[in-house]
Amino acid sequence: MSLILSIESSCDETAAAVVESGSRVLSSVVASQIAKHAPHGGVVPELAAREHLKAVIPVTEGALKEAGVTMKDISAVAVTQGPGLIPALLVGMNFAKGIAQANNLPLIGVNHFLAHIYGAFLDGGEALLKEKSTYPILALVVSGGHTSLLLISEDGSARQLGCTIDDAAGEALDKGAKLLGLGYPGGPVMQKTAETGDPEKFDFPRPLTGGAGRALAPENLYNFSFSGIKTALLYHVRKSRQAGICDEQWLHDTAAGFQRAVVDVLVKKSLSVLKNFPVKTVVVAGGVACNAELRRMMAERLGRRVDLRIAPPKYCTDNAAMVGGIAWHSFKKGDFSPLNIDSFARLPQIVNVPFVD
Ligand code: KG4
Ligand code: ZN
């Protein structure tokens, strides 16, 4: 049995967790900074770093306490290395290095993007990763920073099939919500507003899906674009204001139509991968995977064809359990990070994943 203490600080959540052998989450504590960033309409990197500075020690102490363990029980310290906001990442990284060195423990730097995928295998799902019948896995990672389709083979090699060429799906929802005056973060509030709306009332485009008689360039088969939906929303708002139809129901219908367009693109792109690859498992990961409409449509349109794995919402948004879970696979192989590792802002090219043993 090995217990990993993990730290996450890539964006606006300070999180710590204790995870046993890559699967059992003994504790997962998340301190959200949403209230601090909301007045700015988005995450302010320096503010995020300062909030991490305040929260990182109490959150870590909370995770150890909740797990009922002390540093003496811990086998390694895992930390998000990137991608993310550098000022925010540096706080978690520096802290993790400090506790690793002070307690003479190995340090494991973790790729946040891959950790999101691992979130779907926590709390018992890890056993599936050992089975041949699980592969290939198609991972749709949809968060505030990413919209990507990654194909993972049985030998652990991975191929990025496509990604967004402009905004990420979460970013589109956040910007759309801002435009509608719904507040920040946009995804959850867009979902709430859409609940009592008619998604068919207003039609929004589905960019790069080859609709409306427009041929899709081969290089964009698995790519996404969300800026067009956002612009369509802007025009829709202007036109509706001029027509004087912006009442309460209009807002609900608009949110429902906009959310449906974003979700529809995500589902369509996933389906087009299924047409061309013998995918056995589809993982939907990242903050946008919390979205009820996306979960429902994915289950409806892909659920019968593949094993669909979407983590519970607490492991979709940023958390440290996914970081501690994935790190166990590096721990087993003795694949540790030197104490001089640096954080990174951008996603490097992914050619393999560390969680296929
Ligand atoms: O994974 P995450 O917590 O942070 C990043 O790594 O970016 O994702 C945050 C994103 C935000 O854009 C937020 O609006 C979106 O996830 N999100 C949602 C929902 N909950 C969070 N989007 C749609 N529906 C939700 N229920
Ligand atoms: Zn994230």
Side-chain angles (χ1 to χ4, degrees):
M1 182 186 85
S2 29
L3 298 184
I4 294 187
L5 171 68
S6 50
I7 314 290
E8 153 66 37
S9 71
S10 65
C11 191
D12 59 346
E13 261 105 24
T14 318
V18 177
V19 185
E20 184 188 321
S21 306
S23 183
R24 208 174 133 232
V25 181
L26 269 55
S27 65
S28 177
V29 177
V30 181
S32 173
Q33 307 174 359
I34 283 175
K36 293 275 173 188
H37 298 284
H40 303 276
V43 180
V44 182
E46 187 189 321
L47 188 58
R50 291 177 187 274
E51 290 303 308
H52 288 310
L53 267 183
K54 289 186 228 163
V56 73
I57 292 177
V59 163
T60 305
E61 284 174 346
L64 290 167
K65 194 170 168 214
E66 203 180 296
V69 300
T70 68
M71 282 309 295
K72 288 194 184 65
D73 303 305
I74 299 296
S75 308
V77 179
V79 62
T80 300
Q81 193 181 357
L85 303 170
I86 288 294
L89 286 164
L90 291 179
V91 177
M93 176 59 84
N94 214 5
F95 176 71
K97 284 183 180 183
I99 40 174
Q101 193 178 38
N103 293 281
N104 205 16
L105 293 172
L107 177 77
I108 301 167
V110 164
N111 181 312
H112 179 84
F113 174 89
L114 296 177
H116 267 301
I117 299 172
Y118 197 84
F121 297 97
L122 287 170
D123 280 343
E126 189 269 330
L128 288 171
L129 292 168
K130 296 188 189 80
E131 285 170 28
K132 224 176 148 166
S133 58
T134 302
Y135 302 90
I137 299 173
L138 172 67
L140 169 67
V141 182
V142 270
S143 67
H146 305 282
T147 305
S148 259
L149 286 163
L150 190 76
L151 193 68
I152 302 164
S153 304
E154 193 193 327
D155 62 357
S157 62
R159 198 172 133 201
Q160 183 139 12
L161 298 175
C163 61
T164 180
I165 58 168
D166 42 55
D167 293 346
E171 194 181 353
L173 289 164
D174 291 341
K175 288 178 178 170
K178 197 170 176 178
L179 206 94
L180 292 173
L182 296 175
Y184 171 86
V189 70
M190 187 72 86
Q191 177 181 319
K192 186 94 197 85
T193 311
E195 269 165 20
T196 47
D198 173 5
E200 319 256 301
K201 177 88 188 233
F202 303 117
D203 195 28
F204 290 96
R206 271 72 166 156
L208 300 190
T209 57
R214 257 170 285 141
L216 185 60
E219 68 272 20
N220 282 328
L221 184 57
Y222 306 123
N223 280 341
F224 301 86
S225 167
F226 291 105
S227 69
I229 311 183
K230 196 185 60 193
T231 310
L233 177 66
L234 179 69
Y235 290 142
H236 167 73
V237 170
R238 278 191 195 149
K239 219 171 80 189
S240 304
R241 278 200 190 126
Q242 272 164 10
I245 57 163
C246 299
D247 61 5
E248 194 64 28
Q249 193 54 45
W250 170 90
L251 183 65
H252 294 297
D253 294 340
T254 299
F258 184 78
Q259 176 181 262
R260 174 62 65 85
V262 172
V263 166
D264 202 29
V265 169
L266 297 173
V267 174
K268 280 198 166 102
K269 289 286 175 177
S270 306
L271 277 170
S272 64
V273 178
L274 262 54
K275 256 191 225 155
N276 298 323
F277 296 92
V279 172
K280 298 286 183 344
T281 306
V282 171
V283 169
V284 189
V288 181
C290 292
N291 187 267
E293 174 89 346
L294 178 62
R295 296 170 89 95
R296 189 183 63 75
M297 297 252 292
M298 277 283 179
E300 205 175 285
R301 291 166 68 184
L302 280 81
R304 273 189 296 272
R305 301 171 59 173
V306 293
D307 178 18
L308 180 65
R309 296 197 65 81
I310 313 181
K314 64 179 174 181
Y315 299 145
C316 288
T317 46
D318 286 347
N319 66 89
M322 63 185 193
V323 175
I326 195 172
W328 181 66
H329 295 267
S330 301
F331 177 78
K332 274 195 298 185
K333 292 171 214 148
D335 192 1
F336 306 140
S337 305
L339 281 176
N340 66 352
I341 55 161
D342 199 358
S343 307
F344 57 87
R346 305 217 154 268
L347 184 68
Q349 198 195 352
I350 307 286
V351 290
N352 53 46
V353 297
F355 51 79
V356 181
D357 304 322

